[in-house]
Amino acid sequence: MSETSEAYEAYSPSEMMIAASARQLGGVRNCFVGVGLPNIVCNLAQRTVAPDLQLVYESGVFGARPERLPLSIGDPTLVTGAIAVTSMFELFAYYLQAGLIDVAFLGAAQIDRFGNINTTVIGDYAKPKVRLPGSGGAWEIAIHARQILVIMRQGQRSFVDQLHFRTSPGHSGDPAHDASRGWWGSGPTSVVTDLGTYAFDEASGEMTLVTLHPGVTLDRVRENMGWDPKVSSDLGETLPPTDEELRLIREELDPEGISTK
Amino acid sequence: MSETSEAYEAYSPSEMMIAASARQLGGVRNCFVGVGLPNIVCNLAQRTVAPDLQLVYESGVFGARPERLPLSIGDPTLVTGAIAVTSMFELFAYYLQAGLIDVAFLGAAQIDRFGNINTTVIGDYAKPKVRLPGSGGAWEIAIHARQILVIMRQGQRSFVDQLHFRTSPGHSGDPAHDASRGWWGSGPTSVVTDLGTYAFDEASGEMTLVTLHPGVTLDRVRENMGWDPKVSSDLGETLPPTDEELRLIREELDPEGISTK
Amino acid sequence: MQDAVRELVRDGDTVSIEGFTHLISFAAGHEIIRQGRRDLTLARMTPDVVYDQMVGAGVAKKLIFSWVGNPGVGSLHAIRRRIEDEDPGPLEIEEYSHFGMVCRYVAGASNLPFFPIRSYFESDIPKVNLKIVPMRSPYEDGTEVYVVPPLRPDVAIVHAQRADANGDAQIWGLLGCQKEAAFAADRVIVVVEEVVDESVIRRDPNRTVIPSVIVDAVVEEPFGCHPSFAQGYYDRDNAFYVAWDDIARDPETLDAWLKEWVYDLGSHRDYVEKMGADRWGSLRPEPAPSGEVDYGRYA
Amino acid sequence: MQDAVRELVRDGDTVSIEGFTHLISFAAGHEIIRQGRRDLTLARMTPDVVYDQMVGAGVAKKLIFSWVGNPGVGSLHAIRRRIEDEDPGPLEIEEYSHFGMVCRYVAGASNLPFFPIRSYFESDIPKVNLKIVPMRSPYEDGTEVYVVPPLRPDVAIVHAQRADANGDAQIWGLLGCQKEAAFAADRVIVVVEEVVDESVIRRDPNRTVIPSVIVDAVVEEPFGCHPSFAQGYYDRDNAFYVAWDDIARDPETLDAWLKEWVYDLGSHRDYVEKMGADRWGSLRPEPAPSGEVDYGRYA
């Protein structure tokens, strides 16, 4: 913790994404965790801004306390020492559909300006160029969690003007319609990429660039998305990872650098 | 077992009902047990004609092996040493509604000639003369179990021409309609009273006297029911309880005579 | 318990004290009586003696149930007087079959607007309860079912064998519909025989029935289910169930019982003391351990 | 296992080998491959490597699923080749979200003609799967839901940690939807790490997930879930999941793997032996006992 050399400070884009995401979990009670980056994000938040954060996994685990970095959302380390393990019916019906989940994470192969997400196919559904995994729990998570954080690298192929398939819905572009849906959530509330962080504009429901990561230009953001992005009137710079955040990521959460390279 | 004195042979009407009912469980795999007489019936059957009989209780117990005579269907003695304990949702949904139950027992405050049953009120529903317990699991049992045994004493007030309230359905009187219902069962298949045993006629769905218990006359049966009963063309006499059946009832199953007086 | 009931149970609430013969929180029922709550809608599959006591004490205006009786004994006389004779006043009722009640809780717990079941055909029940309505499957077979609406109690009170201080509760033995009722409710009170360290809960996470995320209060109340039972802790006090039949038959005896065993006592602790150590000793079963399983340490 | 598959799995059947990352019966999948079953419809929430192997071996004509991938690794290449390039032939697919799949099993297990869920709004999924249809609540609120049809597999294959000889099976750790799939199926094969005496099961009845009444065959097959895991018995063999990515990418490598590890072996016992004691030793976790609870003896 006392070491703050320049080398230490040369953080990776993943580390920036993790730190920026974890800070968004301040005060959150429980979080539906995906594997990979979201898992590290939640564990970092638990050690920094959200000490009481309960980790919930779609595999049926509530209050996990993993002794190692889980390799999948069904890793046995999530079960041993957890508060509760339940059937998937109960997890989806009583926790997720009932609105008990505060925050969840989603990834995507494609996302559009309203936070609609495609995890199903690239190309035509009947004869796809690439068959992706499909919904899994993503549909349910997208709507039933009260807040959704999306963590993904951005680029022309992933931040698209037109999805090839809409797996789960985001904002409709019509706030009156969004409000009338009666869902617990309403699609992504925040997107963190390797270039910056985005929120969704209340009036239009459109993804809006809020901060640029240190050293990233607006032009570089534009080059890496398929539409001309809405930019916040007070566009800021993301605070870089602190030494403590980096220490936790590197020494405790991902010492082998599996997810943070 | 060697004792067969006359005193021993002077069985009670309840003992006759128990023995006659237990014999109907020959070869049955599992049985949905109520408390009181049905409980003794099932335990007697397990020790005589149905050694592999699994006892299922609506409280959520499968494969109970009670060490004492249970005082209710939720007695803790049913849980300790059982094969499985499940939530009531699963018991009703996955066992009963799914058609896994071979035989169940029903009691009734009133029964009519088609096996329709009233366990709800005597008198008018809104202003009842006697408020009875209501359905409990009876509706589900009546239709989802493949066979239904009714055990009850008969009399003018219980074997009625017109129910005050139909809690659960029996045969409709129209076999074509019965077949079209698509239910696992179709109301009571057998009734055992203190006077005789009844089956239900396939063509008319009507309760039909099959045997008279030893010493009971047809007139006595007629005096104790609210309609003129259909009588089987080969009306027989119920075999009296055997010494072994009486010994099991008196020495093992109900030594204090709680249910068999 | 005083604090939990004071803060979480309000006049006019719909209250579910669940537990199918097992783990019925009489202690909570008595505290609700003591605090003089009024106009409650009492929901429970099987009202049992606890609701007869509460109805007898005048806390309830309505009953939602599927089987109203003294299990293994007979009738609940205070409730019957209200229904049959409107004595001392009418009691609104809304009744289902067991599976209907369970599915109402499941719908409430799952945030579903209705729940389909294959019950109620050719019965008079839907004629007297218009909330039970027929519906056709939208698939080709067009199968007919009935649906029941969600039940979302304002408060669910669940007794468990043990919980940690946050309310993560474990139950073994009969499970009834406590999990469903708790998830369906706005507020949840967990009452336990023993508050245990969180590490005890975490050693066997599959045993956890109710997670702290839905729990508003945790109360340790040993023997809090008496005269019902807690598997492994004490037996059902059948003599009490039998005695209740006589007590409740006469309103004056009932009032005297309430005075002696509820109003004149400050808490369930006083009740336990008054009942006496011999009574508790006689209800204690011999041990029957479950055996252990191994979750494995994956570090 | 040979007998169970021979007698209970037939060409053209719908087969569910369930288990969410945990307790996936690879041993049964391999035996189905060995016995050359054809035209199976394979149902599973997450097809996982076992279905990639089965599809690669040509046993399947259709897949019903909610997430098709190699968890934590990437793609299932044999399945992707069939879907993307119809290589070596087309593979019919029918897809849901996770909760949709679970509810299909719940409907099947409960004998319900449909099951309502609050999923699929404003998604393209119902456009490509016409079995998912919208429905309105019959109550005043008129809330819209979607419904999914029951899934009733011809055969469900469930791996459990232990069962008695009748098939009363106990599972701890992740429960997935094995109970629902088993109750929904016509025929059930239970595969276990250990067959135990009935008394072990009866000591902890709340732990029982599948009762013998629905079980058609019980097979003892230690390490039968490899490369998936059995909580408390062995870890997930992640190296295998990673290696599978390369194996399945090339049809020839895949065929060679199937020859070496499935066709040329007589049984899963040979597989266990061939894998070697070191491999199994490396996957064994340290103990983490559950602790005991007391059911009490009520005699």
Side-chain angles (χ1 to χ4, degrees):
Chain A
M1 259 195 79
S2 54
E3 184 190 5
T4 54
S5 73
E6 273 190 41
Y8 201 83
E9 283 167 358
Y11 52 86
S12 72
S14 292
E15 287 170 338
M16 180 70 256
M17 288 166 78
I18 292 166
S21 302
R23 292 172 202 150
Q24 304 207 9
L25 297 178
V28 169
R29 284 190 320 166
N30 68 65
C31 184
F32 210 75
V33 192
V35 95
L37 287 185
N39 181 54
I40 300 178
V41 168
C42 292
N43 277 281
L44 180 61
Q46 214 177 34
R47 285 162 173 77
T48 53
V49 294
D52 296 326
L53 186 68
Q54 295 277 24
L55 308 183
V56 187
Y57 290 81
E58 73 179 3
S59 50
V61 180
F62 176 79
R65 192 174 277 176
E67 282 203 81
R68 68 181 185 203
L69 193 71
L71 291 165
S72 86
I73 53 170
D75 194 300
T77 194
L78 298 173
V79 166
T80 307
I83 284 289
V85 175
T86 184
S87 73
M88 292 188 77
F89 175 74
E90 287 173 11
L91 202 277
F92 276 92
Y94 299 171
Y95 289 77
L96 199 49
Q97 188 165 268
L100 291 181
I101 301 300
D102 293 335
V103 178
F105 290 87
L106 283 180
Q110 297 181 327
I111 189 169
D112 71 13
R113 74 185 68 198
F114 295 112
N116 294 291
I117 276 176
N118 173 18
T119 60
T120 301
V121 285
I122 301 298
D124 180 53
Y125 182 80
K127 189 88 178 71
K129 192 150 166 284
V130 181
R131 174 64 224 199
L132 303 164
S135 167
W139 196 96
E140 284 86 13
I141 292 165
I143 295 311
H144 298 321
R146 289 167 192 256
Q147 288 183 54
I148 301 285
L149 262 65
V150 175
I151 309 182
M152 60 190 285
R153 287 164 189 271
Q154 68 175 90
Q156 289 285 346
R157 297 206 304 188
S158 57
F159 275 55
V160 298
D161 188 48
Q162 192 66 45
L163 300 177
H164 293 184
F165 188 95
R166 178 157 67 164
T167 310
S168 63
H171 309 269
S172 66
D174 172 1
H177 172 78
D178 285 7
S180 75
R181 284 158 153 177
W183 301 344
W184 300 115
S186 200
T189 41
S190 178
V191 178
V192 177
T193 75
D194 47 334
L195 303 182
T197 69
Y198 301 79
F200 286 81
D201 184 65
E202 277 211 13
S204 65
E206 194 175 331
M207 198 189 296
T208 306
L209 183 66
V210 176
T211 66
L212 289 166
H213 294 335
V216 175
T217 64
L218 193 53
D219 276 348
R220 201 166 139 219
V221 167
R222 289 206 172 96
E223 282 159 19
N224 282 285
M225 58 201 298
W227 69 89
D228 190 37
K230 210 176 173 96
V231 179
S232 169
S233 56
D234 56 346
L235 179 67
E237 187 176 273
T238 320
L239 288 176
T242 65
D243 285 358
E244 173 64 2
E245 286 167 342
L246 290 171
R247 188 193 65 78
L248 286 165
I249 293 170
R250 293 172 189 180
E251 293 176 21
E252 291 189 19
L253 300 174
D254 191 18
E256 295 174 42
I258 295 170
S259 298
T260 47
K261 286 285 163 60
Chain B
M1 259 194 80
S2 54
E3 185 187 2
T4 53
S5 73
E6 274 192 39
Y8 201 82
E9 282 167 358
Y11 52 85
S12 73
S14 291
E15 288 171 335
M16 181 70 256
M17 288 167 79
I18 291 166
S21 302
R23 292 172 203 150
Q24 304 209 8
L25 297 178
V28 169
R29 285 190 320 164
N30 68 64
C31 184
F32 210 75
V33 192
V35 95
L37 287 186
N39 181 54
I40 300 176
V41 167
C42 292
N43 277 280
L44 180 60
Q46 213 177 34
R47 285 162 174 77
T48 53
V49 294
D52 297 327
L53 187 67
Q54 294 278 22
L55 308 183
V56 187
Y57 290 80
E58 72 178 3
S59 50
V61 180
F62 176 79
R65 192 175 278 177
E67 282 202 79
R68 66 182 186 203
L69 194 71
L71 290 165
S72 85
I73 53 170
D75 194 300
T77 195
L78 299 173
V79 166
T80 305
I83 283 290
V85 176
T86 184
S87 73
M88 293 189 75
F89 175 75
E90 287 173 11
L91 202 277
F92 276 91
Y94 299 171
Y95 288 77
L96 198 50
Q97 187 165 269
L100 292 182
I101 302 299
D102 293 335
V103 178
F105 291 86
L106 284 180
Q110 296 181 327
I111 189 169
D112 72 12
R113 74 184 69 197
F114 294 112
N116 293 292
I117 276 176
N118 174 18
T119 59
T120 303
V121 285
I122 301 297
D124 179 53
Y125 182 81
K127 189 89 179 69
K129 191 150 165 282
V130 181
R131 174 64 224 197
L132 303 164
S135 166
W139 196 95
E140 284 86 12
I141 292 165
I143 294 313
H144 298 321
R146 288 166 193 256
Q147 289 183 54
I148 300 286
L149 261 66
V150 176
I151 309 182
M152 59 190 284
R153 284 163 191 272
Q154 67 176 91
Q156 289 284 348
R157 297 205 303 186
S158 57
F159 274 54
V160 297
D161 188 47
Q162 192 66 47
L163 300 179
H164 293 185
F165 187 94
R166 178 158 67 163
T167 310
S168 63
H171 308 268
S172 65
D174 172 1
H177 172 78
D178 284 6
S180 75
R181 286 158 152 178
W183 301 343
W184 300 116
S186 201
T189 41
S190 177
V191 178
V192 178
T193 76
D194 49 331
L195 303 182
T197 68
Y198 301 79
F200 286 81
D201 184 63
E202 277 211 12
S204 65
E206 194 176 332
M207 198 189 296
T208 306
L209 183 66
V210 177
T211 66
L212 289 166
H213 294 334
V216 176
T217 63
L218 194 51
D219 276 350
R220 196 159 145 227
V221 167
R222 289 206 172 96
E223 282 159 20
N224 282 286
M225 57 202 300
W227 70 90
D228 189 38
K230 209 178 175 93
V231 178
S232 170
S233 56
D234 56 346
L235 179 67
E237 187 174 273
T238 320
L239 288 174
T242 65
D243 285 359
E244 172 65 2
E245 286 166 341
L246 289 170
R247 188 193 65 78
L248 286 164
I249 294 169
R250 294 174 187 177
E251 293 177 21
E252 291 189 18
L253 300 174
D254 191 18
E256 294 173 43
I258 295 171
S259 298
T260 46
K261 287 283 162 61
Chain C
M1 181 69 86
Q2 284 99 327
D3 294 347
V5 169
R6 186 174 310 111
E7 286 162 27
L8 297 168
V9 183
R10 297 157 199 166
D11 285 353
D13 273 356
T14 296
V15 177
S16 287
I17 302 179
E18 272 297 346
F20 193 83
T21 74
H22 182 212
L23 298 173
I24 305 171
S25 183
F26 278 75
H30 294 175
E31 185 58 31
I32 289 171
I33 292 172
R34 245 188 315 263
Q35 294 194 18
R37 288 291 173 286
R38 288 296 177 267
D39 295 325
L40 301 182
T41 293
L42 296 178
R44 217 183 114 74
M45 291 178 70
T46 56
D48 203 88
V49 164
V50 67
Y51 276 15
D52 210 37
Q53 294 173 346
M54 293 169 79
V55 167
V59 308
K61 68 161 189 239
K62 182 175 176 180
L63 205 57
I64 303 175
F65 68 96
S66 48
W67 191 89
V68 56
N70 183 341
V73 178
S75 289
L76 297 173
H77 298 287
I79 292 174
R80 278 186 59 184
R81 272 195 298 279
R82 292 277 297 270
I83 297 175
E84 293 168 7
D85 307 323
E86 303 195 353
D87 171 18
L91 182 68
E92 209 184 323
I93 60 170
E94 181 182 320
E95 72 180 297
Y96 297 85
S97 60
H98 274 349
F99 194 39
M101 274 296 278
V102 172
C103 290
R104 290 202 63 189
Y105 285 126
V106 172
S110 310
N111 184 32
L112 282 173
F114 63 90
F115 202 92
I117 57 178
R118 289 186 187 259
S119 296
Y120 303 123
F121 304 113
E122 302 185 22
S123 164
D124 289 339
I125 300 173
K127 294 181 191 161
V128 298
N129 182 348
L130 302 180
K131 291 187 177 174
I132 302 170
V133 299
M135 178 189 253
R136 262 189 199 289
S137 164
Y139 294 110
E140 273 171 35
D141 53 288
T143 305
E144 198 177 42
V145 294
Y146 274 84
V147 301
V148 292
L151 179 54
R152 296 196 181 93
D154 296 302
V155 192
I157 302 173
V158 171
H159 194 106
Q161 277 102 335
R162 67 188 185 191
D164 61 29
N166 298 318
D168 300 295
Q170 299 191 327
I171 293 178
W172 54 100
L174 301 178
L175 302 172
C177 59
Q178 284 98 308
K179 176 186 276 199
E180 293 78 7
F183 274 96
D186 266 4
R187 307 186 282 279
V188 176
I189 301 173
V190 164
V191 190
V192 293
E193 291 297 316
E194 297 182 81
V195 172
V196 296
D197 192 80
E198 193 179 307
S199 64
V200 174
I201 303 297
R202 288 189 183 271
R203 281 168 74 189
D204 196 357
N206 283 105
R207 192 83 75 189
T208 306
V209 171
I210 293 172
S212 51
V213 65
I214 60 168
V215 175
D216 297 280
V218 187
V219 180
E220 189 177 63
E221 204 71 272
F223 302 110
C225 307
H226 179 268
S228 81
F229 68 99
Q231 188 84 35
Y233 287 75
Y234 44 94
D235 201 351
R236 172 175 144 119
D237 189 348
N238 202 57
F240 187 97
Y241 275 90
V242 173
W244 184 255
D245 193 66
D246 278 337
I247 295 168
R249 218 177 264 274
D250 172 16
E252 281 180 31
T253 332
L254 172 55
D255 286 345
W257 187 90
L258 286 172
K259 181 173 186 318
E260 180 177 359
W261 288 95
V262 181
Y263 293 116
D264 282 358
L265 301 177
S267 70
H268 190 73
R269 256 145 247 246
D270 295 344
Y271 175 98
V272 170
E273 201 176 302
K274 185 173 161 73
M275 201 61 78
D278 286 356
R279 185 83 165 240
W280 303 121
S282 73
L283 295 172
R284 177 117 198 112
E286 295 295 307
S290 65
E292 290 196 282
V293 301
D294 184 4
Y295 279 90
R297 193 175 164 211
Y298 296 86
Chain D
M1 182 67 87
Q2 283 99 325
D3 294 347
V5 169
R6 187 174 309 113
E7 284 161 29
L8 297 168
V9 183
R10 298 158 198 166
D11 286 352
D13 273 356
T14 295
V15 178
S16 288
I17 302 180
E18 272 297 347
F20 193 84
T21 73
H22 183 211
L23 298 174
I24 306 171
S25 184
F26 277 74
H30 294 174
E31 185 58 32
I32 289 170
I33 292 173
R34 245 187 318 263
Q35 293 195 18
R37 288 291 171 285
R38 287 296 176 266
D39 297 324
L40 300 183
T41 293
L42 296 178
R44 215 182 116 72
M45 292 178 70
T46 56
D48 204 271
V49 164
V50 67
Y51 277 14
D52 209 37
Q53 295 173 346
M54 293 170 79
V55 167
V59 308
K61 68 163 190 236
K62 182 175 175 181
L63 205 58
I64 303 176
F65 68 95
S66 48
W67 192 88
V68 55
N70 182 338
V73 178
S75 289
L76 297 172
H77 297 288
I79 291 175
R80 279 186 59 184
R81 273 195 299 280
R82 291 276 299 269
I83 297 176
E84 294 169 7
D85 307 323
E86 302 195 352
D87 170 19
L91 181 69
E92 210 184 321
I93 61 171
E94 182 182 320
E95 71 180 298
Y96 299 84
S97 60
H98 274 350
F99 194 40
M101 274 296 279
V102 171
C103 290
R104 290 203 62 190
Y105 285 125
V106 172
S110 309
N111 186 31
L112 283 173
F114 63 90
F115 202 92
I117 57 177
R118 290 187 186 259
S119 296
Y120 303 122
F121 304 113
E122 304 186 20
S123 164
D124 290 337
I125 300 173
K127 295 181 191 162
V128 298
N129 182 346
L130 302 180
K131 291 188 177 172
I132 302 170
V133 298
M135 177 188 254
R136 264 192 196 290
S137 164
Y139 294 111
E140 274 173 32
D141 53 289
T143 305
E144 198 177 44
V145 294
Y146 274 85
V147 301
V148 292
L151 179 54
R152 296 198 180 93
D154 295 301
V155 192
I157 302 173
V158 171
H159 194 106
Q161 276 103 336
R162 67 189 186 192
D164 62 29
N166 298 319
D168 299 296
Q170 298 191 327
I171 293 178
W172 54 100
L174 301 178
L175 302 172
C177 60
Q178 283 97 307
K179 176 185 275 197
E180 293 78 6
F183 273 95
D186 266 3
R187 308 185 282 278
V188 176
I189 301 174
V190 164
V191 190
V192 292
E193 290 298 316
E194 298 181 80
V195 171
V196 296
D197 192 79
E198 194 179 308
S199 64
V200 174
I201 302 296
R202 288 190 183 271
R203 281 169 74 187
D204 196 358
N206 283 105
R207 192 82 76 187
T208 307
V209 170
I210 293 173
S212 51
V213 64
I214 59 167
V215 175
D216 297 279
V218 186
V219 180
E220 189 176 63
E221 204 71 272
F223 302 109
C225 305
H226 179 268
S228 80
F229 67 99
Q231 189 84 36
Y233 287 75
Y234 45 93
D235 200 351
R236 170 175 143 119
D237 189 349
N238 202 57
F240 187 98
Y241 275 90
V242 172
W244 184 254
D245 192 69
D246 277 337
I247 295 168
R249 216 176 267 274
D250 172 16
E252 282 181 28
T253 333
L254 171 55
D255 285 346
W257 186 91
L258 286 171
K259 181 172 186 322
E260 179 176 359
W261 288 95
V262 181
Y263 292 116
D264 282 359
L265 302 177
S267 70
H268 190 72
R269 257 145 245 243
D270 295 345
Y271 175 99
V272 170
E273 201 176 302
K274 185 173 159 74
M275 201 60 79
D278 286 356
R279 185 84 165 239
W280 302 122
S282 73
L283 295 171
R284 177 116 199 113
E286 296 295 306
S290 66
E292 290 196 282
V293 300
D294 184 4
Y295 279 90
R297 192 174 164 211
Y298 296 87

